Amino acid sequence: MKILLTGGAGFIGSHTAVELVKAGHEPVIVDNLYNSSKKALERLKMITGKDIAFYEADVCDPAAMDDIFAKENFDAVIHFAGYKAVPESVTKSVAYYRNNLDTTLTLCECMQKHGVKRIVFSSSATVYGPIEESPLVETMPSAGCTNPYAWTKYMNEQILRDAAISNPDWSVALLRYFNPIGAHESGLIGENPKGIPNNLMPYVTQVAVGRLPHLNINGTDFPTPDGTGVRDYIHVVDLAKGHVAACNYLEANAGVCEVINLGTGTGYSVLDVVNTFERVNHLELNKVMAPRRPGDMASYYSDPSKAKELLGWQTEKTLDDMCRDSWNWQKNNPEGYDS
């Protein structure tokens, strides 16, 4: 299949491009490079040995997207493009709603016009809201999103559900990610956040490489085995393979619309991750115990059984792999793609 990757130069998109090529598909990347780097595209050629088609364009631009759809004749779309920082979404809420909803609406219009009937959407476990019950199952109702980023994911899911109803021959997969970490084993592509990271692993690796002075362990009094928050961390390569499996599923099943968790089904605490990172990489981090952040929950992890049942997919990488590959990326690229 020829598959459009919107936002395909980003962290998850670039890894998915690699796995699509390995699976015999033809990815085409559209990215405005707002939160990604063109250098990732050069690295993709080094990994895959192929020149992956790339268009520098804004997915919100109907004319640009119409031209790309007309030229490429896509079989499916994987939609990653969108703003993604939770704290920033609170301070720039209107920009998040405008961008994240417009990209999806523009894509749906182009798909309708050009007869493209398969879409995989990059959603998030944040749509479940502050549910104090794990594992999280796709049938659970949302407890109410807690920030504009999460609401845009929730709203986009609804847009695509309704699009599937009005286009009964469409096939839609709404993939709810948990906590992607790790990097390609080559160390050539990885997570490259702008500014101070919001997520645990890039913060850990930036402390390890000396870009940040210390690691705050936010919350040591949760009702968990070691007092720190528990999350479902998934290796980005496993996550990328989940997208390949979703594309194959949609090709074989016309007219479906499915919500699917992509996670390991195992909860690891913050200290589990930090201690594993130190052990496998033979490092010691400067750690500071700090109070909980507002809104943080004790435990949040997936039930991934639906992904195994429908997609034939399950994770293969361990927490050791996640920590080793994250550090391999960062130590070889201390300033990310600007190294």
Side-chain angles (χ1 to χ4, degrees):
M1 286 188 285
K2 181 180 281 192
I3 301 171
L4 167 62
L5 305 187
T6 70
F11 175 44
I12 300 169
S14 59
H15 287 81
T16 300
V18 171
E19 297 306 318
L20 286 170
V21 170
K22 286 174 65 175
H25 298 299
E26 182 182 354
V28 176
I29 293 172
V30 175
D31 200 305
N32 66 358
L33 305 178
Y34 171 81
N35 196 33
S36 55
S37 171
K38 208 166 186 176
K39 290 183 180 178
L41 303 166
E42 300 167 9
R43 305 289 183 86
L44 289 178
K45 183 175 181 180
M46 295 170 67
I47 294 169
T48 65
K50 294 184 179 295
D51 285 307
I52 295 174
F54 169 68
Y55 294 89
E56 186 173 345
D58 191 331
V59 182
C60 294
D61 183 342
M65 295 306 297
D66 184 57
D67 287 345
I68 294 167
F69 268 78
K71 181 178 180 181
E72 293 291 348
N73 193 26
F74 296 116
D75 298 298
V77 174
I78 303 179
H79 181 25
F80 297 109
Y83 298 160
K84 63 178 185 177
V86 169
E88 183 183 62
S89 78
V90 176
T91 59
K92 298 182 178 179
S93 60
V94 173
Y96 267 68
Y97 285 114
R98 169 64 72 186
N99 182 77
N100 291 6
L101 299 184
D102 272 6
T103 55
T104 302
L105 293 168
T106 300
L107 273 178
C108 287
E109 290 168 349
C110 285
M111 289 172 63
Q112 287 174 324
K113 180 176 179 179
H114 295 276
V116 181
K117 300 176 180 179
R118 306 180 188 108
I119 183 168
V120 176
F121 176 59
S122 169
S123 192
S124 166
T126 58
V127 302
Y128 287 110
I131 295 177
E132 292 288 356
E133 177 185 352
S134 286
L136 299 171
V137 182
E138 293 88 347
T139 52
M140 288 178 171
S142 172
C145 300
T146 58
N147 57 77
Y149 164 79
W151 278 117
T152 66
K153 294 296 187 183
Y154 183 92
M155 292 174 182
N156 275 324
E157 284 194 8
Q158 191 61 51
I159 288 168
L160 291 167
R161 284 192 185 95
D162 290 339
I165 291 170
S166 58
N167 299 274
D169 55 347
W170 277 28
S171 299
V172 177
L174 309 172
L175 304 183
R176 292 179 177 172
Y177 308 164
F178 280 72
N179 295 72
I181 60 175
H184 192 265
E185 62 182 9
S186 66
L188 290 170
I189 57 174
E191 190 167 8
N192 187 43
K194 292 186 176 180
I196 297 176
N198 296 305
N199 299 323
L200 175 62
M201 186 55 78
Y203 211 110
V204 167
T205 60
Q206 289 192 21
V207 170
V209 84
R211 286 175 62 180
L212 295 172
H214 62 266
L215 173 68
N216 286 328
I217 307 293
N218 295 110
T220 58
D221 58 348
F222 289 105
T224 60
D226 64 19
T228 64
V230 169
R231 298 292 181 268
D232 189 339
Y233 297 94
I234 176 173
H235 197 293
V236 66
V237 172
D238 279 335
L239 186 62
K241 290 178 179 178
H243 291 76
V244 178
C247 286
N248 294 338
Y249 174 75
L250 296 186
E251 185 181 27
N253 295 275
V256 298
C257 182
E258 297 286 356
V259 176
I260 304 171
N261 287 337
L262 292 186
T264 66
T266 301
Y268 293 105
S269 74
V270 170
L271 285 179
D272 286 334
V273 174
V274 172
N275 292 339
T276 301
F277 184 89
E278 292 180 322
R279 174 176 57 78
V280 301
N281 297 312
H282 311 292
L283 295 167
E284 186 171 347
L285 301 172
N286 183 17
K287 302 178 287 291
V288 174
M289 301 302 168
R292 298 186 192 185
R293 296 176 302 186
D296 274 355
M297 286 169 288
S299 185
Y300 214 75
Y301 60 93
S302 72
D303 177 346
S305 56
K306 186 175 180 180
K308 184 176 182 180
E309 176 187 349
L310 293 187
L311 309 182
W313 171 92
Q314 59 185 347
T315 58
E316 299 170 354
K317 305 277 191 178
T318 66
L319 184 59
D320 281 25
D321 296 325
M322 300 179 213
C323 293
R324 186 180 298 109
D325 291 341
S326 293
W327 177 233
N328 187 44
W329 151 255
Q330 190 76 79
K331 73 181 180 183
N332 287 302
N333 304 271
E335 300 295 328
Y337 290 114
D338 294 327
S339 298

